[in-house]
């Protein structure tokens, strides 16, 4: 075969026209109009989320934290242990080279924090303030468990509605929004949960399924009011194994200054 033989211009034009014609006649994908969830779908999603809450009563995880604030970014290592029923969560944050930075112990609505860089011991109640600067916003126990668990806790509400596609909104008895949950279009796991009262948003990605337990391997927490963002990239996690009670103890080292917020002293 002569590879140098030229294709006649008329044949070349005809081939180009045929290609163009076939492309024009190809079926066009028409996106269906977006529709909010119906009541059955909303109830199914809420039931699924509550089932996931029941599946995990304890966890132990490790990963990398990225904390972004205006003009700064830092990456740290973290170990997390938590027991849902008792409301106890222990978070140990270290520099990448192993030096301890913060030990945080949450016990229901109380917190204790050891700041090794400041040599200070903080004790108080959640919702008063965050002396560690670890959480971008002032969170409650359910929000903190949502972050470390990698799956949203459904808040108490009076009714649930869907105002837009792939989204469920929970309202209280006064008709006020208490929680807005967005779901992945092609699957059931949530991709974000928004708390209107505080303006805080928690995002979830890279979901895994371990023996029926769904969890995100990457969780973000964003507080636009302070311009702060916290991201946890999960490396390892173990669910529902017994955690020694000794883990949930925090002893103040000798020489550390004790700081008690006014809100804690008053209570």
């Amino acid at each position: 075969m002569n590879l140098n033989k030229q294709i006649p211009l008329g044949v070349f034009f005809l081939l180009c026209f045929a290609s163009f014609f076939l492309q024009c006649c190809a079926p066009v994908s028409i996106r269906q109009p977006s529709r909010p969830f119906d009541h059955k779908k909303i109830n199914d999603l809420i039931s699924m989320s509550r089932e996931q809450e029941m599946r995990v009563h304890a966890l132990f995880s490790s990963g990398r934290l990225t904390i972004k604030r205006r003009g700064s970014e830092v990456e740290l290592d973290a170990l997390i242990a938590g027991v849902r029923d008792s409301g106890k969560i222990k978070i140990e944050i270290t520099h990448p080279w192993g030096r301890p930075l913060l030990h945080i112990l949450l016990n229901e609505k109380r917190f204790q924090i050891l700041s090794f860089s400041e040599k200070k011991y903080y004790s108080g109640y959640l919702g008063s303030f965050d002396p560690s600067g670890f959480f971008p916003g002032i969170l409650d126990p359910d929000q903190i468990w949502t972050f470390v668990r990698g799956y949203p806790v459904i808040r108490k509400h009076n009714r649930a509605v869907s105002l837009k596609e792939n989204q469920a909104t929970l309202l209280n008895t006064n008709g006020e929004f208490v929680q807005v949950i967005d779901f992945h279009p092609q699957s059931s796991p949530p991709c974000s949960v928004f708390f209107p009262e505080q303006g805080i948003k928690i995002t979830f990605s890279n979901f895994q399924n371990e023996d029926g337990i769904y969890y995100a391997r990457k969780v973000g927490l964003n507080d636009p009011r302070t311009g702060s963002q916290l991201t946890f990239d999960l490396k390892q996690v173990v669910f529902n194994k017994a955690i020694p009670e000794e883990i949930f103890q925090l002893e103040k080292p000798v020489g550390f200054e004790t700081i008690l917020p006014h809100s804690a002293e008053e209570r």
Side-chain angles (χ1 to χ4, degrees):
M1 179 182 294
N2 185 1
L3 297 179
N4 295 321
K5 185 177 180 180
Q6 293 185 351
I7 300 175
L9 183 59
V11 175
F12 179 77
F13 179 81
L14 181 62
L15 291 174
C16 290
F17 178 80
S19 176
F20 175 77
F21 180 79
L22 290 174
Q23 290 179 10
C24 290
C25 293
V28 178
S29 177
I30 301 176
R31 185 181 178 185
Q32 296 296 324
S34 62
R35 296 179 180 177
F37 294 137
D38 58 30
H39 290 296
K40 182 181 183 305
K41 182 64 174 180
I42 296 174
N43 291 334
D44 289 344
L45 290 170
I46 291 177
S47 296
M48 180 189 68
S49 296
R50 284 177 169 160
E51 179 193 2
Q52 285 297 314
E53 289 182 34
M54 300 297 294
R55 283 182 177 269
V56 177
H57 58 81
L59 63 84
F60 185 84
S61 64
S62 63
R64 175 63 59 89
L65 283 169
T66 303
I67 302 175
K68 294 182 181 180
R69 296 187 179 92
R70 293 186 177 94
S72 67
E73 178 177 337
V74 62
E75 291 188 353
L76 304 166
D77 293 329
L79 292 174
I80 302 174
V83 177
R84 173 68 167 147
D85 294 339
S86 66
K88 294 181 179 179
I89 298 174
K90 177 76 171 294
I91 305 172
E92 296 185 358
I93 303 174
T94 61
H95 290 284
W97 55 87
R99 185 167 62 89
L101 179 63
L102 291 168
H103 285 183
I104 303 173
L105 178 62
L106 308 174
N107 189 351
E108 294 183 344
K109 295 185 178 182
R110 289 193 59 88
F111 70 79
Q112 296 172 269
I113 299 174
L114 287 179
S115 175
F116 291 90
S117 59
E118 299 176 304
K119 291 189 175 181
K120 291 183 178 180
Y121 166 80
Y122 296 92
S123 179
Y125 286 85
L126 289 175
S128 56
F129 79 129
D130 177 20
S132 69
F134 171 62
F135 291 112
I138 299 176
L139 308 181
D140 61 34
D142 283 346
Q143 292 169 329
I144 295 174
W145 182 258
T146 290
F147 183 83
V148 302
R149 161 69 171 86
Y151 204 97
V153 174
I154 298 297
R155 313 207 86 168
K156 292 182 179 179
H157 61 280
N158 181 55
R159 64 191 182 98
V161 298
S162 179
L163 302 177
K164 61 183 294 187
E165 186 182 23
N166 302 316
Q167 187 182 89
T169 299
L170 311 184
L171 300 89
N172 60 20
T173 54
N174 296 324
E176 300 167 334
F177 291 6
V178 297
Q179 190 177 25
V180 180
I181 308 172
D182 284 283
F183 295 86
H184 288 282
Q186 304 302 327
S187 58
S188 296
C191 56
S192 70
V193 56
F194 176 65
F195 303 94
E197 183 179 359
Q198 298 153 296
I200 291 173
K201 187 175 187 178
I202 302 177
T203 59
F204 312 91
S205 58
N206 192 10
F207 266 92
Q208 302 291 311
N209 179 3
E210 183 174 323
D211 297 327
I213 296 173
Y214 287 89
Y215 62 97
R217 295 194 66 88
K218 185 171 185 176
V219 184
L221 195 159
N222 183 47
D223 184 357
R225 295 175 302 176
T226 61
S228 301
Q229 184 175 354
L230 176 69
T231 303
F232 182 58
D233 289 288
L234 179 68
K235 292 182 179 179
Q236 294 180 321
V237 63
V238 176
F239 293 113
N240 299 331
K241 299 296 183 181
I243 300 178
E245 186 62 29
E246 293 77 18
I247 294 292
F248 301 109
Q249 294 180 5
L250 202 65
E251 299 293 336
K252 185 183 74 170
V254 176
F256 274 53
E257 179 185 0
T258 298
I259 305 295
L260 296 175
H262 292 298
S263 57
E265 293 172 347
E266 292 171 358
R267 298 186 192 190

